[in-house]
């Protein structure tokens, strides 16, 4: 069964450094998402992306965050200057098309900011 | 704002007992999805409910969507140790792309 894949599985970074989290969505999917989950808390929406542009973003997704689809397969989340509170699991998800299709999640990247 | 509340936060049951988790939205949903997350894992899609009053079953799991499309429940009959994990509901609102997750119910099974 096709899967969403994310790399790396764990990223440790010094506060203030830039990080790029990578995702390869399921190949025929058109909608892409980033969510995060702080340890022990619920999953929170960050951003959705369709047709090479952001379609929706949350208040968490401030100017420090950006997303990109640099080629036909990768979908990246960049955090420009990390803060301690950015430590979380970051999940990428993708969906086939508009309408009632579920979002499929990757295994996540655990981001630890020191 | 659009919020999805979920109760209980934790549930400990003896193996073989039933388990239910409830979700409630502040406003009407387009649809609701249920996910299971094992410790250290990622949310795994279980099911999606779209229609008012819809009931779906997957083996020992029964999912319901309320008539007003503002609440939902997941019921597990005769729990097994493999059911351990956190169950999240996630609502999709009309005109939105994002899933709004509930706070989750963490299920632990006492063998």
């Amino acid at each position: 069964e096709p899967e969403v894949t994310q790399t790396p599985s764990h990223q440790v970074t010094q506060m203030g450094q830039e990080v790029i989290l990578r995702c390869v969505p399921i190949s025929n999917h058109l909608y892409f998402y980033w969510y995060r989950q702080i340890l022990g808390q619920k999953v929170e929406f960050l951003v959705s992306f369709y047709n090479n542009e952001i379609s929706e973003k949350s208040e968490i997704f401030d100017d420090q965050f950006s997303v990109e689809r640099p080629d036909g397969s990768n979908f990246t989340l960049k955090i420009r200057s990390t803060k301690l509170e950015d430590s979380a699991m970051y999940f990428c998800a993708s969906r086939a098309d508009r309408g009632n299709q579920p979002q499929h999640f990757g295994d996540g990247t655990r981001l630890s900011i020191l | 704002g659009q919020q999805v509340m979920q109760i209980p936060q934790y549930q400990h049951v003896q193996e073989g007992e039933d388990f239910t988790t409830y979700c409630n939205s502040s406003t009407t949903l387009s649809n609701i999805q249920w996910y299971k997350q094992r410790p250290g894992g990622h949310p795994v899609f279980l099911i999606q409910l779209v229609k008012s009053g819809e009931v779906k079953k997957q083996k020992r799991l029964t999912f319901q969507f309320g008539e007003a499309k503002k609440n939902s429940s997941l019921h597990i009959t005769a729990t097994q140790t493999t059911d351990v994990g956190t169950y999240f509901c996630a609502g999709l609102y009309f005109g939105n792309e994002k899933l709004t997750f509930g706070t989750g119910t963490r299920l632990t099974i006492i063998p």
Side-chain angles (χ1 to χ4, degrees):
Chain A
E1 186 174 326
E3 291 181 342
V4 176
T5 56
Q6 289 185 242
T7 55
S9 57
H10 191 188
Q11 175 81 48
V12 182
T13 303
Q14 291 285 340
M15 186 173 61
Q17 296 294 307
E18 174 184 285
V19 291
I20 297 176
L21 310 182
R22 302 181 191 280
C23 169
V24 179
I26 295 173
S27 62
N28 63 342
H29 285 190
L30 302 178
Y31 293 82
F32 314 116
Y33 309 84
W34 284 101
Y35 292 83
R36 79 171 186 190
Q37 186 178 31
I38 294 170
L39 185 64
Q41 298 186 24
K42 67 178 181 180
V43 178
E44 299 175 288
F45 169 79
L46 293 177
V47 66
S48 60
F49 191 87
Y50 170 72
N51 200 26
N52 283 320
E53 60 183 23
I54 291 173
S55 50
E56 192 172 352
K57 60 183 181 179
S58 72
E59 61 274 9
I60 302 169
F61 194 88
D62 61 22
D63 292 344
Q64 295 300 312
F65 291 86
S66 61
V67 289
E68 199 177 29
R69 188 155 163 83
D71 52 44
S73 59
N74 289 282
F75 179 50
T76 62
L77 174 69
K78 182 193 288 186
I79 309 175
R80 204 159 291 120
S81 177
T82 50
K83 309 183 198 66
L84 293 175
E85 55 265 35
D86 293 327
S87 295
M89 282 291 288
Y90 287 80
F91 293 107
C92 173
S94 68
R95 185 165 70 83
D97 58 12
R98 198 170 269 284
N100 296 321
Q101 294 295 320
Q103 296 178 24
H104 294 272
F105 284 73
D107 288 345
T109 293
R110 180 172 298 283
L111 178 62
S112 301
I113 307 299
L114 305 178
Chain B
Q2 294 162 340
Q3 288 188 53
V4 176
M5 306 301 293
Q6 191 173 354
I7 57 168
Q9 192 175 359
Y10 302 97
Q11 186 79 59
H12 313 284
V13 300
Q14 290 276 351
E15 188 175 7
E17 289 182 341
D18 293 356
F19 159 79
T20 306
T21 174
Y22 301 90
C23 272
N24 191 62
S25 167
S26 53
T27 55
T28 303
L29 294 159
S30 169
N31 67 59
I32 194 159
Q33 300 170 26
W34 284 91
Y35 291 81
K36 178 182 178 181
Q37 186 177 27
R38 293 185 180 276
H42 65 279
V44 174
F45 173 76
L46 294 177
I47 209 154
Q48 178 173 266
L49 303 170
V50 179
K51 298 176 186 172
S52 169
E54 190 169 14
V55 178
K56 286 188 177 180
K57 294 193 175 191
Q58 287 179 350
K59 297 182 182 177
R60 294 177 295 104
L61 278 60
T62 302
F63 303 85
Q64 292 189 326
F65 202 12
E67 294 290 341
K69 297 183 69 173
K70 293 172 78 171
N71 55 66
S72 181
S73 64
L74 157 59
H75 179 82
I76 303 178
T77 304
T79 53
Q80 300 173 359
T81 54
T82 52
D83 295 327
V84 162
T86 301
Y87 292 85
F88 289 97
C89 61
L92 198 66
Y93 292 94
F94 293 99
N96 279 2
E97 276 294 322
K98 64 180 184 182
L99 285 173
T100 301
F101 277 78
T103 45
T105 297
R106 184 173 177 180
L107 173 64
T108 54
I109 307 288
I110 306 163

